[in-house]
Amino acid sequence: MENPSDSIFINRELSWLDFDSRVLALAKEKSVPLAERVKFAAIFASNMDEFFMVRVGSLYDQTLLKNNKLDIVTHMTASEQIAAITPRVAELQAKCDKTYQHLLTALEANRYHKVDFSHLTKQQEHYWKAFFQQEIFPILSPQVVDQRHPFPFLRNKEIYFAAMLNSKTDGTYYGIIPISSQFERVLFIKNPDGTTSFAFVEELIAHFAGSIFNKSTVQKSCLFRVTRNADITVDEGMMDHDIDFRDVMSELLKKRRKLAAVRLQFWPDAPQEIVRFLRDKLVVPADRCYAQTTPLDPGGLFRLASRVASDGNPALCYPPAKPIQAPASYDLYTEAHHHDVLLAYPYQSIRPFIRMLMKAGSDPDVVSIKMTLYRMASDSQIVQALINAAENGKEVVAMVELRARFDEQNNIDWSKQLEEAGCTVFYGFDDYKVHSKLTLITSKVNGKYHYLTQIGTGNYNEKTSELYTDLSFITTRQEIGEEASAVFNNMALQRLTSEADTMLVAPLRFKSVLLEQMDRQIDLARRGQPASMILKNNSINDPEIINKISEASCAGVRVDMIVRGICCIKAGVPGKTENVHIRSLVGRYLEHSRIYCFGSGEDMTIYIASGDFLTRNTERRVEVGVRVDDREIARKLRGILDLQLRDTVNAREMQPDGSYTRVKPKEGDPPVDSQMAMYGYFQHGFDLPAAPAPVRPARSPRPAAAPNAVRPAASASRPVQTAPRDNVRFRGLLDSLFGRGKK
């Protein structure tokens, strides 16, 4: 039997928890401004909520099945995975509690004082009691649980106050008070001395709860919160062709709210009588009950971080860094007809793309606009541009994926508005979630059809475009437009795309193409020629790809991987992944772009894509990507990868045992923050000069044709500019990184 320490595989769930621990590490990183540290603690807790709702919920469901499904890489059963998860969660929660105490100390040093309701002065007691009676008490809805009153339904992720009560007539029974999300989660008071006091509303309610149950004696009490399973999928039995799919999803959302509880969180030192009572009622095992000093709801920490940031102390927040705006005269719609364009969010604004859609919607030559929609902003200007285009008489086709988890209701609402405006809306496949980021604008000029195609790594969402790093490639190359047109037609007809040359289209023409590219690098290495791969994505657990990466390493291929989150392959395992180097970037922005680069120099082939290396992306979703043949843009993409491989601020590097260590600059070298340096890298991206298209050999007749090699320019056409004024400490950094002098 193989020694576990020699295995190259890591369990997906444990890898995800390792990722969240890297997020938590930023909450205690002293180089991170205080308000941002509080926010990272909130992000850690919010991530943990989703982990239990989705991942633990899914594992819980699997334990109820007779055929217990095994993890695809470590072959652990669902029960074994839950057993491995629970102590790790307890360990991380203990670290979070310790980090929270450090944050409170740091907040105190910066004149933000948390109200301790167990140590109030008489004056404070009087103030808070008056506030409670006037503002809180009138809208509380206490409930009792006894022989005459059944146990109530407890909402997912809502905080409750629980009390064990005693009265002369009824004996011992229980009381529960919902602390609704309608309450302001954190209460702030500006003190005369200039300091700020803050109180969590649930602690205020708990302090005065005795006055609520005035006919009984509160013997013991605590705050608690329940997390419910949210891993619900479309029941094939509901897929009646006479039922609108939107109605099906609406029913599923109602059902989700009542799914089984998978976690209970308690105040520290919660009375065991109350814990046992709630465990029995909600059927939650003891090892999924967690006591914590950190606020039970991460929303409170988000609110606290927001208040500290809004108070205007620049030392407590990241330096301002807003998306670079295009010049007033910049017209992306016209520019894309002259040469390929690459936009990079959040460094560049998404507004030129929105204006492009608006202009296309009023262009008399445009006959149709087609777009895949996965996660949209609640006030989406992008969807509004589609509605305007339909009202202008254009054919607008929207593939709306209603199964975007936790965004289902938003997507349902937008799909109705699109239909009401005259757009054609369809919902994709029964068995495959459409995760593609694809737009196709078709024009008819002098009797001929012309395409403008956009392929991206991120959602059409104005909000996340300022928080996630993503890429948007826009081209009028006819061959890409033809392939994109085929993808839309296939989706509308419930067909998977099996043939494509320039585009990647999962599940049939995505993994296979990338595996072919890996095989080419393996062949080069075995012939003694330079061979390398740089693979940047969010997650990897596909065993076929992992084994191919190991094969490449053994053949001598240098493999660099930038994997933010789940990573189920170990780096540096002797004889298996010795040439694999893995790093995770966790910083100010959420790294979300996917770039796959094979080879270097004149023989480099590079792709961007919407899909990760998870089996759900490679085998169970419709993903799209594109081979980037434009020389200037290919150089840009490779530059992004090279910059991130030199990051010494946000990077953690994987060790052979699967753990991560922080990457530090070498002695004498300045720190490299790749995210902030990207502002300078893309400062003049709105006016890239047209690059000559590479020479293209005739297209191979077979679907598995080798993609054309990219031949980047030998040197940059201009020096990389310095970062904007808000990031002056990075001035000149890019020139030193890429060996370019000023012109």
Side-chain angles (χ1 to χ4, degrees):
M1 180 178 293
E2 182 180 53
N3 187 331
S5 64
D6 295 331
S7 173
I8 65 171
F9 296 108
I10 303 172
N11 175 261
R12 171 187 172 137
E13 317 308 340
L14 295 177
S15 178
W16 191 97
L17 290 173
D18 284 342
F19 158 67
D20 211 20
S21 73
R22 297 195 291 278
V23 175
L24 181 61
L26 292 176
K28 59 182 180 181
E29 177 57 57
K30 292 184 178 179
S31 64
V32 175
L34 181 57
E36 312 299 340
R37 290 167 58 193
V38 175
K39 190 184 298 182
F40 279 119
I43 293 171
F44 164 82
S46 180
N47 286 347
M48 200 63 76
D49 282 352
E50 185 168 340
F51 178 72
F52 271 92
M53 288 190 294
V54 178
R55 300 309 308 167
V56 177
S58 174
L59 292 172
Y60 171 78
D61 287 345
Q62 290 176 39
T63 63
L64 305 178
L65 301 176
K66 292 182 179 179
N67 297 324
N68 209 343
K69 193 166 129 185
L70 301 179
D71 172 50
I72 60 173
V73 294
T74 57
H75 307 299
M76 297 169 67
T77 66
S79 298
E80 289 170 338
Q81 291 179 78
I82 291 176
I85 285 168
T86 46
R88 178 64 172 144
V89 171
E91 176 190 340
L92 287 175
Q93 187 56 57
K95 287 184 178 179
C96 185
D97 289 346
K98 190 177 293 186
T99 299
Y100 175 62
Q101 296 306 316
H102 289 313
L103 289 173
L104 290 180
T105 301
L107 286 164
E108 184 104 5
N110 284 276
R111 302 165 67 81
Y112 291 90
H113 306 286
K114 180 179 179 294
V115 175
D116 182 353
F117 285 97
S118 62
H119 295 87
L120 296 178
T121 65
K122 287 185 178 180
Q123 184 180 4
Q124 291 170 334
E125 180 80 21
H126 176 75
Y127 170 83
W128 286 113
K129 184 175 183 180
F131 183 90
F132 172 78
Q133 291 176 338
Q134 294 172 20
E135 303 293 335
I136 303 295
F137 182 76
I139 52 176
L140 288 177
S141 301
Q143 301 164 279
V144 295
V145 181
D146 55 20
Q147 292 181 344
R148 298 184 300 276
H149 301 89
F151 188 78
F153 176 77
L154 304 181
R155 294 176 181 271
N156 183 38
K157 299 195 298 181
E158 201 156 287
I159 299 176
Y160 293 85
F161 173 82
M164 194 167 76
L165 307 172
N166 184 269
S167 71
K168 293 180 180 179
T169 56
D170 298 317
T172 299
Y173 62 105
Y174 290 90
I176 293 177
I177 304 174
I179 302 176
S180 171
S181 55
Q182 68 179 304
F183 288 118
E184 187 67 45
R185 183 63 66 202
V186 189
L187 308 170
F188 295 95
I189 299 175
K190 197 71 175 178
N191 300 315
D193 62 358
T195 63
T196 299
S197 296
F198 63 93
F200 292 102
V201 71
E202 61 267 24
E203 296 182 12
L204 169 64
I205 293 172
H207 182 68
F208 292 106
S211 63
I212 298 172
F213 301 101
N214 53 7
K215 293 184 180 179
S216 305
T217 301
V218 176
Q219 294 183 313
K220 298 180 180 181
S221 64
C222 69
L223 293 167
F224 74 95
R225 182 173 181 256
V226 60
T227 309
R228 293 188 177 275
N229 182 1
D231 186 58
I232 187 167
T233 56
V234 178
D235 183 353
E236 291 182 2
M238 295 179 69
M239 294 304 295
D240 189 317
H241 292 291
D242 293 331
I243 300 177
D244 190 314
F245 191 41
R246 281 195 302 248
D247 295 336
V248 173
M249 292 305 303
S250 296
E251 288 302 314
L252 290 177
L253 293 180
K254 293 176 184 177
K255 185 177 179 182
R256 174 188 284 168
R257 300 184 189 112
K258 300 181 180 180
L259 291 179
V262 291
R263 176 180 64 163
L264 280 171
Q265 298 162 275
F266 291 94
W267 245 7
D269 303 320
Q272 286 305 302
E273 296 92 335
I274 295 179
V275 173
R276 283 195 296 268
F277 169 73
L278 292 170
R279 278 186 49 210
D280 290 345
K281 292 295 184 182
L282 294 167
V283 195
V284 178
D287 60 1
R288 272 187 266 143
C289 297
Y290 300 93
Q292 62 185 70
T293 58
T294 310
L296 301 177
D297 181 359
L301 291 176
F302 279 119
R303 180 71 185 90
L304 177 58
S306 177
R307 172 57 183 259
V308 174
S310 67
D311 280 346
N313 187 338
L316 302 185
C317 307
Y318 281 133
K322 296 182 179 179
I324 301 166
Q325 299 298 323
S329 60
Y330 185 79
D331 183 346
L332 178 58
Y333 187 62
T334 301
E335 199 75 15
H337 282 86
H338 293 150
H339 60 82
D340 294 351
V341 177
L342 180 73
L343 299 183
Y345 312 133
Y347 312 106
Q348 295 171 297
S349 172
I350 198 174
R351 290 179 186 174
F353 175 74
I354 298 172
R355 288 198 294 267
M356 183 187 81
L357 289 177
M358 296 294 290
K359 186 168 182 177
S362 60
D363 184 346
D365 291 334
V366 169
V367 294
S368 74
I369 302 175
K370 299 180 180 181
M371 181 179 279
T372 58
L373 297 174
Y374 190 72
R375 295 189 194 276
M376 299 85 80
S378 57
D379 54 349
S380 176
Q381 298 175 56
I382 292 171
V383 177
Q384 190 59 51
L386 296 181
I387 290 173
N388 292 346
E391 291 174 347
N392 288 337
K394 309 301 180 187
E395 180 196 31
V396 176
V397 178
M399 203 311 301
V400 181
E401 180 52 80
L402 297 183
R403 294 166 294 185
R405 196 187 306 274
F406 306 127
D407 275 336
E408 295 96 340
Q409 189 60 57
N410 189 49
N411 289 7
I412 288 170
D413 294 341
W414 275 125
S415 69
K416 291 178 180 178
Q417 290 194 43
L418 286 164
E419 281 191 344
E420 289 169 1
C423 303
T424 299
V425 177
F426 64 97
Y427 306 117
F429 300 82
D430 294 347
D431 301 325
Y432 299 92
K433 186 180 289 189
V434 178
H435 190 246
S436 308
K437 326 300 180 187
L438 182 63
T439 300
L440 181 67
I441 299 171
T442 304
S443 305
K444 189 174 185 181
V445 181
N446 297 326
K448 293 184 178 180
Y449 289 106
H450 301 270
Y451 300 109
L452 186 152
T453 311
Q454 182 273 342
I455 300 171
T457 66
N459 296 305
Y460 299 113
N461 188 311
E462 300 93 315
K463 305 298 185 191
T464 57
S465 74
E466 296 187 2
L467 302 172
Y468 297 4
T469 71
D470 272 308
L471 299 166
S472 177
F473 176 71
I474 302 149
T475 182
T476 54
R477 301 193 185 205
Q478 191 73 2
E479 67 274 24
I480 296 178
E482 290 172 356
E483 292 184 7
S485 179
V487 171
F488 274 110
N489 290 338
N490 285 334
M491 285 193 293
L493 297 173
Q494 293 278 297
R495 290 194 308 235
L496 296 175
T497 299
S498 59
E499 296 187 12
D501 176 28
T502 309
M503 287 182 63
L504 302 173
V505 189
L508 302 182
R509 289 291 298 162
F510 186 88
K511 178 164 65 171
S512 60
V513 175
L514 297 176
L515 290 175
E516 288 170 9
Q517 289 291 345
M518 294 181 189
D519 281 332
R520 290 188 180 93
Q521 296 303 310
I522 292 170
D523 183 59
L524 287 172
R526 286 173 176 165
R527 289 191 277 119
Q529 298 180 27
S532 64
M533 300 187 295
I534 308 176
L535 309 172
K536 178 187 186 304
N537 58 22
N538 297 314
S539 303
I540 173 172
N541 81 329
D542 188 306
E544 190 175 2
I545 292 177
I546 290 175
N547 285 325
K548 184 61 69 175
I549 290 171
S550 176
E551 181 185 346
S553 173
C554 293
V557 179
R558 165 85 186 203
V559 183
D560 285 292
M561 299 176 64
I562 305 168
V563 185
R564 171 177 54 86
I566 296 166
C567 186
C568 295
I569 176 175
K570 291 181 184 176
V573 176
K576 295 180 179 179
T577 57
E578 286 176 294
N579 290 312
V580 177
H581 308 268
I582 300 175
R583 58 172 43 201
S584 171
L585 297 181
V586 182
R588 176 172 184 162
Y589 301 123
L590 186 143
E591 288 291 335
H592 195 249
S593 57
R594 291 89 165 181
I595 309 174
Y596 304 122
C597 180
F598 304 92
S600 59
E602 294 187 353
D603 297 321
M604 180 176 70
T605 304
I606 196 162
Y607 299 84
I608 66 166
S610 63
D612 294 313
F613 284 170
L614 294 172
T615 52
R616 74 178 187 188
N617 300 98
T618 60
E619 297 181 2
R620 299 193 298 276
R621 288 186 173 184
V622 178
E623 306 277 6
V624 297
V626 65
R627 188 181 71 242
V628 177
D629 293 334
D630 183 285
R631 298 178 182 182
E632 180 74 9
I633 294 178
R635 178 191 68 78
K636 280 273 185 187
L637 292 171
R638 180 56 190 257
I640 293 171
L641 296 174
D642 290 339
L643 179 57
Q644 293 194 338
L645 290 174
R646 300 189 65 177
D647 191 300
T648 56
V649 172
N650 308 297
R652 266 77 175 167
E653 193 162 30
M654 183 188 282
Q655 304 305 303
D657 64 354
S659 64
Y660 287 80
T661 60
R662 185 176 175 181
V663 177
K664 298 180 180 180
K666 295 179 181 178
E667 188 174 354
D669 289 347
V672 177
D673 184 340
S674 62
Q675 292 190 335
M676 290 297 97
M678 287 277 283
Y679 278 98
Y681 195 45
F682 279 96
Q683 188 171 9
H684 288 275
F686 287 113
D687 59 352
L688 283 175
V695 176
R696 301 171 185 278
R699 182 182 300 188
S700 170
R702 65 188 186 92
N708 304 314
V710 171
R711 302 184 180 277
S715 62
S717 60
R718 66 164 64 82
V720 177
Q721 302 297 316
T722 55
R725 186 180 305 167
D726 291 329
N727 305 307
V728 291
R729 66 193 179 98
F730 299 103
R731 189 175 302 279
L733 171 62
L734 297 179
D735 290 333
S736 63
L737 285 174
F738 296 102
R740 296 171 189 150
K742 302 282 184 182
K743 284 188 179 179

